Amino acid sequence: MAVRKQIESTARVLDPLKQKGLSVTGSRRKILQLFMQQKGALSHGDIEKKAGVTFDRVTIYRTLQTFLDKGIIHAIPTADNAVRYALCQDECGPGHHDHQHIHFICSRCKQIFCLDHFVTPDLHLPKGYQAKDVDVLVKGVCKECSAIAKRA
Amino acid sequence: MAVRKQIESTARVLDPLKQKGLSVTGSRRKILQLFMQQKGALSHGDIEKKAGVTFDRVTIYRTLQTFLDKGIIHAIPTADNAVRYALCQDECGPGHHDHQHIHFICSRCKQIFCLDHFVTPDLHLPKGYQAKDVDVLVKGVCKECSAIAKRA
DNA sequence: TGATTTTTGCAACTATGTTGCTTTTTTGTA
DNA sequence: TACAAAAAAGCAACATAGTTGCAAAAATCA
Ligand SMILES: [Mn+2]
Ligand SMILES: [Mn+2]
Ligand SMILES: [Zn+2]
Ligand SMILES: [Zn+2]
């Protein structure tokens, strides 16, 4: 049972790589795993810390770029000069990202979460401006931190 | 007439500084002026280029931080590791920013604009999440670039 | 003007990101 | 399974970005 579970879990990590036509390597497996284990989004720095000294910094940069290109992860804009990345849930593919979910930034724990809540704000742009893509960033207090605050 | 205009323009640059209780210095005047002359938002790097070798890099960092603190400029999140800054139009002050406008990122000219169009997306957050602030980033083609594309 | 406060510039440092090239690993095929 | 071709990783060297402490310079205010 435990073995079967482990096989499944391994497969779950390998699948996205093979599906996207990527060769399976140590760093790709490890980094993908980190994303899968993680509730929040990860910055390059986060990954470097979590992966330990296992991989060269350059490899992490290149892996993230590859994952972005292939539609395995998406970038989340921030105002702190540290772009975060998170797994794509939707049907993203090479050169094609389409997310309609909110990104929530907790001002207490500093984590960033993808919330699967669709939003299509009524955009009344000035004439001439053509919208292609909308990103909604919400800052506030996340579920866990709210609970902690309530208890205190 | 020309002189009067120049005095006015100088005053317009000085006003925000004095109003916020900041001492008036060369770098602050210059950087504030850059923002006022500019349609789009500016990154630290942009300012460094536009200001020439006039100021030390460190001074620019510190000036931007001061302007942020005092509510003279606001930071615009991006996915390219280069936060942009733009003047606050609203009544922002020390430790208090409140913007309700869209930020538009042109994928052609790469400029970022503050659009004075209010947006309050209907946020249906999961239970426990408390929203404090919302940032809407729209990616697309700006007015000028649309016009250029049409002509071609 | 001159003392006091604030800001700037500089140096030294850390962190972040990029590029070219060589070695190692992966993959597909014989 | 062994091998050749292709792809990725590691390394070095570099470029850019951001931080901190401190001394010199400038701004403010009396
Ligand atoms: Mn997301
Ligand atoms: Mn703005
Ligand atoms: Zn939190
Ligand atoms: Zn444009």
Side-chain angles (χ1 to χ4, degrees):
Chain A
M1 190 60 195
V3 173
R4 184 186 169 84
K5 209 165 191 177
Q6 196 189 323
I7 290 167
E8 273 179 14
S9 150
T10 303
R12 213 172 302 141
V13 176
L14 295 185
D15 265 5
L17 295 177
K18 300 211 156 174
Q19 265 181 29
K20 310 278 176 171
L22 292 174
S23 40
V24 176
T25 68
S27 63
R28 287 178 182 170
R29 258 213 303 264
K30 177 68 182 173
I31 292 174
L32 192 49
Q33 222 163 35
L34 285 178
F35 277 115
M36 287 173 159
Q37 292 166 355
Q38 191 66 17
K39 271 179 304 173
L42 296 169
S43 67
H44 169 93
D46 294 335
I47 294 168
E48 215 169 321
K49 276 164 213 136
K50 283 183 191 283
V53 289
T54 331
F55 308 109
D56 194 85
R57 281 163 17 82
V58 179
T59 300
I60 297 175
Y61 282 114
R62 292 199 268 229
T63 303
L64 288 175
Q65 189 56 55
T66 303
F67 284 6
L68 274 178
D69 293 343
K70 295 291 179 178
I72 295 173
I73 59 174
H74 60 284
I76 304 171
T78 64
D80 65 355
N81 281 319
V83 180
R84 311 302 154 83
Y85 303 92
L87 290 177
C88 295
Q89 300 97 333
D90 316 289
E91 296 308 324
C92 298
H96 160 74
H97 278 280
D98 190 25
H99 297 277
Q100 294 283 17
H101 63 262
I102 294 172
H103 289 131
F104 191 93
I105 304 167
C106 180
S107 48
R108 195 181 161 280
C109 67
K110 307 298 173 197
Q111 285 193 90
I112 298 183
F113 303 97
C114 298
L115 298 188
D116 279 329
H117 283 237
F118 285 63
V119 176
T120 8
D122 285 355
L123 293 176
H124 297 285
L125 299 174
K127 277 192 180 168
Y129 288 85
Q130 296 171 30
K132 288 252 177 66
D133 203 15
V134 182
D135 228 306
V136 179
L137 302 178
V138 181
K139 209 154 80 179
V141 185
C142 80
K143 193 176 174 168
E144 288 216 8
C145 289
S146 290
I148 292 168
K150 207 174 267 181
R151 252 176 275 146
Chain B
M1 191 62 196
V3 172
R4 185 186 168 85
K5 208 164 191 176
Q6 196 190 323
I7 290 168
E8 273 180 15
S9 150
T10 304
R12 213 173 301 141
V13 176
L14 295 185
D15 263 6
L17 295 177
K18 300 214 155 173
Q19 265 180 31
K20 309 279 175 173
L22 292 174
S23 40
V24 177
T25 69
S27 63
R28 287 177 182 169
R29 256 211 305 263
K30 178 68 181 175
I31 292 175
L32 192 48
Q33 221 163 36
L34 286 178
F35 277 115
M36 288 174 160
Q37 292 166 355
Q38 189 67 17
K39 272 180 304 176
L42 296 169
S43 68
H44 169 94
D46 294 332
I47 293 169
E48 215 169 321
K49 276 164 213 136
K50 284 184 191 282
V53 288
T54 331
F55 310 107
D56 194 85
R57 280 162 18 81
V58 179
T59 300
I60 297 175
Y61 282 114
R62 292 199 270 228
T63 302
L64 289 174
Q65 190 55 56
T66 304
F67 284 5
L68 275 178
D69 293 344
K70 295 290 178 178
I72 295 174
I73 59 174
H74 60 284
I76 304 171
T78 63
D80 66 355
N81 281 319
V83 181
R84 310 303 153 84
Y85 304 92
L87 289 177
C88 295
Q89 301 97 333
D90 316 291
E91 296 309 322
C92 299
H96 160 74
H97 278 279
D98 191 26
H99 296 278
Q100 294 283 17
H101 63 263
I102 294 170
H103 289 130
F104 191 94
I105 303 166
C106 180
S107 48
R108 196 180 162 280
C109 67
K110 307 297 175 197
Q111 285 194 89
I112 299 183
F113 304 96
C114 298
L115 298 187
D116 279 329
H117 284 237
F118 284 64
V119 176
T120 8
D122 284 356
L123 294 176
H124 297 284
L125 301 174
K127 277 192 181 171
Y129 287 86
Q130 296 170 29
K132 286 251 178 69
D133 201 16
V134 182
D135 228 305
V136 179
L137 302 179
V138 181
K139 210 154 79 180
V141 185
C142 80
K143 193 176 173 170
E144 287 215 11
C145 289
S146 291
I148 292 168
K150 207 173 265 181
R151 252 177 275 147

